[in-house]
Amino acid sequence: MAKIDPVTMQHSEDILKCREWTGNFISDPSALPISFVLDEKVISGIPEDWQPTSSRRRIDANISETVFEGDDVRTGLKIQVEFIEYHDYPVVEWVAMFTNNGHEKTPVIHDVLAMDGTFNGSLPVLHYSNGDFNSVEDYMPYEVSLNLGSTYKFSPNGGRPCEGVFPYYRVEFEGCGLSIAIGWPGQWAADFMGLEDGIRIRAGQEKTNLRLMPSECIRTPRITILSWAGNTSRAVNLWRRWYLDHILPRPDGQPLKPLLACYGTDDGAECTATTEENQIRYMEKAKRHGIHFDVWWIDAGWYDCYNEKHERDWYLTGTWEPDPKRFPNGLKIVSECASRNGADLLLWFEPERVYPGTQIDVEYPQWLLKIEGTDNSLLDLGNPECRKWITDHVCRLIRDNGVKIYRQDYNIRPLEYWRQNEAEDRQGINENLYIQGYLQFWDELLMRNPGLWIDSCSSGGRRNDLETMRRSVPLHYTDYGYGENPAKLAFHSTLFEWLPYFKEFTLTWDIGEKQRFDNQVDSYSYHCGMAPMLFATMDIRRDDYDYALAQRMIEIWRRASELILYGDYYTHTQFYRSIQKWVVWQFDRPEIGYGLLQGIRLPESLEDAITIYPEGICRDKIYFFENVETDEKKDIPGHTLIKYGFMFSLPKRSGAIWFYKRK
């Protein structure tokens, strides 16, 4: 185990492992871990006969960038690899670009790999998850031994990067390991192969078999590697800290804080019944009941979405203007009301899916990718003219309507739209240009709207790769089981390890029980909803909620959520989704000696109590524990916690949070 100062979080041994595994990448262009086939010749790194050059610059105090370039005189193909080193964490990452600088199309380029490298170590074990696919099985963790000759292959379903797989991996060797992320918001593929003294990893866009036209450029996925010395808890918390410091969006230059979200609507699917009048009325009513929300959430259905029967159907996307019948003044009055109440307006969009008869379909059919068998078209963000129009259009909507949080959904599988609309010698080009356009679209939204931040949604959590996460947060991480608490607590245990900012509902129903969105919210509901964003799911039209309880539990959440977001994370129970179990985890801030333990006894747990052993405890210190929900307080010596642990004793279907402070 690496020797870590719990206050300064020094990680010299982790840095040494990083240099051992990746140091040669930076010193030799031919050793860069990329590969491809050009005109049927396999090429690794940037060969010497491409006359490679490099330039290095310091981006800031903690990040350096080295750019490698090489040119193939014969074909006009240029390679550029941007290689990033972090000096405050044991992290490196890179992305490669291929540009045709010639006057003719290139020979066929295929099997482009952003990652093709080996890493030495003993007894390798691969840890991975299955991502989101709207199932109780979402985010299930797995581990397999990478024995000599064994190979494990992964790719998503349908072109969304987290559908059925999760592009975040951990390879554990004896006493050390690698955490790896594949940043590609499309159809990637990866395989992990066991070697005699380590592993080989290959990853890239799943299918590339194409010629580049003059001046045309494609890029690879971005590969991120974090090295660590010690156990998997060390790996988890190094990743969390690096993510919070370098990936989590910073609107107006400030890191995101925990936020309380509320909404209100009348009868109708999604937000098809929202109006200017009822949104203002519901916001003011929530405030009168003491619910001091930070985000007012308007989801799908605020736009002109009338079907042939003149009924509103949120699924009819492609006309992006507020419905003039319900919002005659646009949404500006609504966002101004939110602002007066100390909140920001979140607004849902889905620009990539276009339905027949909508504005984009009628006025710009040349921008749509179509396939047989479906009414939906895919807006081709790889078309520069299209991307410019949708960027200008959405920016105007953001500005004119006072939108502070742009929520983008993606209820379409794009893969066949890309592949069925390209020639035999252009396989992969539509996807690649589309991904570049999508990322540029979001970059421009953020650049042109200071203070804006983005919520990434894709039928739940199906597009949450790291390249997307650099620009957004995954608030709605699945469409499954909003109140099915054993399942969603299991989902949390995976998300806390990789994507520390997400949203949870205050809804409760047990496995097998009919889903209800009008149930009375109790303290158990709040305990199961403890996440950096809390969505207070209550029908604001009603007056029979226990609003006093809501106020009290929201205050507990506000205190806990800072630790849940910024603390080191330790799970003290296994990954379960059974109503017969307990869930216990810990969030610890060693720099300030402050943390929390949360225990949840699920509805049919047979054990009246559970004892766990907190992490990060100093033997010679005293710890002050406080349960603010029950007003219990106690001092416990560190050596007692280490020897005897901490016991939760709770009734079925209840939870407790114990805050602690090192004296």
Side-chain angles (χ1 to χ4, degrees):
M1 178 67 181
K3 296 178 180 178
I4 307 300
D5 183 330
V7 176
T8 61
M9 198 67 174
Q10 294 296 316
H11 39 72
S12 58
E13 291 187 40
D14 307 300
I15 296 289
L16 289 174
K17 293 305 299 183
C18 185
R19 290 172 181 167
E20 176 187 334
W21 278 320
T22 66
N24 64 319
F25 299 165
I26 201 75
S27 61
D28 181 3
S30 66
L32 287 165
I34 63 170
S35 68
F36 58 101
V37 180
L38 176 63
D39 204 14
E40 299 310 317
K41 179 182 178 182
V42 178
I43 298 174
S44 298
I46 303 179
E48 288 187 14
D49 59 356
W50 288 43
Q51 299 181 338
T53 62
S54 65
S55 60
R56 186 176 174 85
R57 69 185 180 107
R58 195 83 177 212
I59 295 176
D60 60 30
N62 293 315
I63 302 175
S64 293
E65 178 190 63
T66 303
V67 177
F68 299 92
E69 296 182 342
D71 295 277
D72 181 26
V73 176
R74 183 178 64 87
T75 64
L77 184 64
K78 176 180 179 178
I79 302 178
Q80 183 180 76
V81 180
E82 297 175 358
F83 191 91
I84 298 292
E85 299 170 273
Y86 292 84
H87 303 292
D88 53 343
Y89 287 92
V91 175
V92 297
E93 53 191 10
W94 63 90
V95 60
M97 278 73 68
F98 296 77
T99 305
N100 182 359
N101 284 340
H103 300 292
E104 305 290 337
K105 61 185 178 182
T106 66
V108 170
I109 307 165
H110 64 90
D111 294 340
V112 179
L113 293 176
M115 169 82 244
D116 188 357
T118 61
F119 300 88
N120 293 333
S122 59
L123 305 177
V125 176
L126 177 64
H127 300 259
Y128 63 97
S129 171
N130 59 357
D132 174 43
F133 49 104
N134 193 24
S135 165
V136 70
E137 301 294 323
D138 286 355
Y139 299 104
M140 171 76 82
Y142 297 89
E143 62 178 71
V144 292
S145 297
L146 290 172
N147 301 316
L148 177 62
S150 62
T151 301
Y152 292 87
K153 298 183 177 182
F154 305 89
S155 61
N157 300 317
R160 293 180 292 183
C162 300
E163 184 166 351
V165 291
F166 203 46
Y168 301 89
Y169 295 89
R170 191 175 300 121
V171 178
E172 181 182 9
F173 297 112
E174 191 172 29
C176 59
L178 304 162
S179 297
I180 303 158
I182 302 164
W184 188 249
Q187 186 73 11
W188 55 272
D191 61 67
F192 296 78
M193 178 185 296
L195 305 177
E196 185 173 353
D197 57 352
I199 61 167
R200 181 183 183 185
I201 306 173
R202 299 188 299 178
Q205 183 181 342
E206 183 181 64
K207 191 174 187 178
T208 48
N209 188 81
L210 54 86
R211 301 177 189 271
L212 287 180
M213 300 302 158
S215 302
E216 197 168 46
C217 177
I218 60 171
R219 59 157 287 181
T220 68
R222 186 183 303 273
I223 303 297
T224 301
I225 292 183
L226 179 147
S227 306
W228 41 275
N231 57 23
T232 54
S233 289
R234 176 73 182 145
V236 165
N237 289 311
L238 265 177
W239 179 271
R240 281 176 58 91
R241 285 175 174 247
W242 171 76
Y243 190 104
L244 292 167
D245 284 347
H246 291 287
I247 300 299
L248 188 70
R250 293 174 174 257
D252 289 324
Q254 300 300 313
L256 280 177
K257 295 185 178 297
L259 297 168
L260 176 69
C262 288
Y263 84 122
T265 185
D266 288 335
D267 293 334
E270 299 292 335
C271 286
T272 56
T274 54
T275 67
E276 176 184 297
E277 183 277 330
N278 68 27
Q279 293 305 281
I280 292 171
R281 175 160 46 89
Y282 292 148
M283 278 189 268
E284 292 175 346
K285 184 175 182 180
K287 281 291 185 176
R288 288 197 303 272
H289 282 298
I291 308 301
H292 301 295
F293 52 89
D294 307 301
V295 173
W296 189 257
W297 189 298
I298 298 181
D299 215 273
W302 54 270
Y303 36 87
D304 186 342
C305 56
Y306 292 89
N307 61 23
E308 63 278 2
K309 298 180 181 179
H310 208 65
E311 299 167 335
R312 290 188 292 270
D313 183 349
W314 72 269
Y315 199 69
L316 307 185
T317 54
T319 301
W320 295 108
E321 296 291 348
D323 182 356
K325 295 182 180 180
R326 294 176 288 145
F327 299 100
N329 305 295
L331 288 160
K332 185 67 171 177
I333 292 175
V334 176
S335 66
E336 288 174 343
C337 180
S339 182
R340 287 195 305 273
N341 285 288
D344 291 334
L345 175 64
L346 176 150
L347 194 63
W348 182 97
F349 290 80
E350 192 185 355
E352 294 159 284
R353 185 175 58 82
V354 179
Y355 201 80
T358 58
Q359 178 193 7
I360 295 175
D361 178 67
V362 171
E363 297 182 12
Y364 305 105
Q366 71 275 21
W367 294 343
L368 303 180
L369 298 175
K370 298 176 180 288
I371 59 175
E372 293 185 3
T374 178
D375 290 330
N376 289 313
S377 299
L378 182 68
L379 188 67
D380 186 8
L381 295 178
N383 180 315
E385 183 184 16
C386 170
R387 181 188 52 75
K388 181 180 184 304
W389 182 89
I390 194 66
T391 302
D392 292 341
H393 190 72
V394 171
C395 282
R396 179 182 61 78
L397 288 167
I398 289 169
R399 181 183 65 250
D400 291 352
N401 295 284
V403 177
K404 298 293 185 176
I405 306 165
Y406 171 81
R407 171 171 165 78
Q408 183 165 318
D409 209 339
Y410 194 37
N411 295 301
I412 189 170
R413 285 181 164 182
L415 187 59
E416 291 308 310
Y417 290 89
W418 295 328
R419 291 186 175 176
Q420 290 187 26
N421 287 282
E422 56 195 12
E424 185 67 23
D425 65 349
R426 297 278 282 165
Q427 295 172 46
I429 192 67
N430 282 345
E431 175 183 350
N432 204 288
L433 297 180
Y434 187 102
I435 297 305
Q436 293 183 62
Y438 153 73
L439 295 173
Q440 188 172 353
F441 170 48
W442 276 20
D443 287 341
E444 290 195 29
L445 291 187
L446 294 169
M447 179 183 67
R448 290 163 58 175
N449 299 280
L452 183 77
W453 54 283
I454 297 175
D455 167 27
S456 170
C457 184
S458 179
S459 304
R462 305 187 198 191
R463 185 164 59 177
N464 291 336
D465 64 289
L466 194 58
E467 200 73 334
T468 295
M469 294 296 93
R470 292 175 190 277
R471 299 157 173 85
S472 65
V473 291
L475 297 183
H476 189 67
Y477 62 86
T478 185
D479 277 340
Y480 182 84
Y482 297 175
E484 195 169 300
N485 289 321
K488 76 182 187 184
L489 290 170
F491 301 161
H492 292 182
S493 67
T494 295
L495 291 167
F496 284 141
E497 293 190 2
W498 292 106
L499 305 176
Y501 200 104
F502 58 91
K503 172 203 91 253
E504 194 49 85
F505 295 100
T506 56
L507 285 170
T508 295
W509 55 74
D510 293 325
I511 293 175
E513 183 181 0
K514 182 180 179 181
Q515 297 186 4
R516 293 184 59 198
F517 293 87
D518 61 348
N519 60 341
Q520 186 66 259
V521 176
D522 58 11
S523 63
Y524 174 68
S525 305
Y526 281 92
H527 276 289
C528 295
M530 292 286 166
M533 177 179 277
L534 180 66
F535 195 112
T537 317
M538 55 184 71
D539 186 346
I540 199 64
R541 296 174 296 180
R542 292 168 52 181
D543 294 309
D544 61 341
Y545 279 108
D546 188 341
Y547 286 101
L549 171 68
Q551 293 172 36
R552 185 164 68 253
M553 294 306 299
I554 286 169
E555 285 306 305
I556 293 172
W557 165 80
R558 287 198 184 278
R559 182 171 172 182
S561 58
E562 288 279 345
L563 288 165
I564 290 171
L565 178 56
Y566 291 110
D568 291 338
Y569 164 64
Y570 302 96
T571 181
H572 291 284
T573 49
Q574 295 181 29
F575 181 96
Y576 295 125
R577 54 172 61 93
S578 166
I579 58 176
Q580 297 181 334
K581 298 293 185 179
W582 281 74
V583 174
V584 183
W585 40 46
Q586 174 186 4
F587 295 90
D588 181 66
R589 300 280 311 266
E591 304 92 326
I592 58 176
Y594 189 43
L596 68 81
L597 298 171
Q598 183 183 26
I600 299 171
R601 186 180 177 188
L602 292 165
E604 295 183 14
S605 172
L606 302 178
E607 299 173 312
D608 295 330
I610 187 172
T611 298
I612 59 95
Y613 293 83
E615 299 280 352
I617 299 299
C618 298
R619 177 178 294 275
D620 58 348
K621 299 292 184 180
I622 302 293
Y623 289 83
F624 170 69
F625 280 80
E626 179 184 20
N627 183 334
V628 295
E629 191 175 357
T630 62
D631 202 32
E632 296 174 82
K633 300 178 177 68
K634 52 188 174 184
D635 285 339
I636 305 178
H639 63 83
T640 300
L641 287 167
I642 292 170
K643 184 174 182 179
Y644 297 107
F646 185 94
M647 186 176 72
F648 285 91
S649 180
L650 293 169
K652 292 180 179 180
R653 199 181 176 281
S654 66
I657 293 177
W658 285 88
F659 297 96
Y660 61 83
K661 177 74 174 177
R662 185 177 65 227
K663 288 187 173 182

